[in-house]
Amino acid sequence: MTQLFNSTFELSLRVLLTLSIQEKSEQTIDELATGDFITTYNKTFGLSPSNLHGDNELSFTEFALRRHLISKATFQLVREGLLEVVQSPNGFKYSISSEGVSYIQRIQSNYARDYRLAAQRAQNYMKTKSEAELLNLISQEASNVLKRRTQ
């Protein structure tokens, strides 16, 4: 492995951490990607005094790649039995399996603790907006960042 940060492995752990907060929840790939993005950039959304991954003026341009990596990570987690998948009217939804809960409970680092707290804030924030609103917010901000960079 040549890359640890924002790798499929790291995103797998973050997906498990997110879904372990609400063990009975089921989320789509878009919900997982949006939740992870808001979790790591809590400050940007007014949810915390700092971002887990620091301040980054190009953070919003990461979203498409992050969604792709979360899709790959989720597929791997299903294959390993750490996530369960169900079909819904909105597509496939994923939830953490009992094996996934057991696995992620062993992760007790400071980052995991901070991520869980930030993920809880993100989940509460996401409840106040539709998936379309959240995706539009991220897309609009990414466009604004790119416009500012080209001016």
Side-chain angles (χ1 to χ4, degrees):
M1 179 183 303
T2 60
Q3 176 187 345
L4 178 60
F5 298 107
N6 286 323
S7 66
T8 304
F9 175 73
E10 181 189 10
L11 287 163
S12 294
L13 293 176
R14 292 185 347 218
V15 164
L16 289 172
L17 286 167
T18 296
L19 291 172
S20 71
I21 292 168
Q22 301 169 348
E23 292 176 26
K24 301 296 184 204
S25 75
E26 297 173 341
Q27 294 188 20
T28 66
I29 294 292
D30 283 335
E31 289 168 331
L32 288 168
T34 303
D36 180 65
F37 188 81
I38 294 170
T39 297
T40 56
Y41 293 110
N42 259 204
K43 176 183 173 184
T44 305
F45 292 88
L47 305 176
S48 173
S50 63
N51 290 320
L52 281 175
H53 293 183
D55 294 335
N56 176 0
E57 69 179 48
L58 298 177
S59 62
F60 280 88
T61 61
E62 294 176 19
F63 185 74
L65 175 61
R66 189 176 297 208
R67 187 196 179 285
H68 172 73
L69 291 173
I70 283 178
S71 180
K72 287 175 60 176
T74 302
F75 177 75
Q76 184 66 34
L77 290 167
V78 169
R79 285 185 38 206
E80 293 172 2
L82 300 174
L83 290 185
E84 297 171 348
V85 60
V86 296
Q87 191 167 2
S88 76
N90 298 330
F92 293 109
K93 290 195 169 203
Y94 303 87
S95 62
I96 193 166
S97 68
S98 58
E99 292 86 2
V101 171
S102 176
Y103 179 83
I104 205 63
Q105 284 176 341
R106 292 182 292 207
I107 308 293
Q108 296 298 321
S109 67
N110 287 338
Y111 179 82
R113 184 200 66 228
D114 293 346
Y115 188 92
R116 284 180 179 106
L117 291 171
Q120 186 63 59
R121 287 190 294 269
Q123 294 298 315
N124 290 337
Y125 176 79
M126 290 172 65
K127 288 178 189 176
T128 67
K129 301 193 179 334
S130 71
E131 187 174 339
E133 287 175 306
L134 292 166
L135 291 172
N136 284 336
L137 174 69
I138 291 170
S139 177
Q140 183 62 47
E141 188 56 35
S143 294
N144 291 342
V145 167
L146 292 173
K147 285 177 192 173
R148 287 192 297 268
R149 302 259 322 152
T150 59
Q151 292 177 347

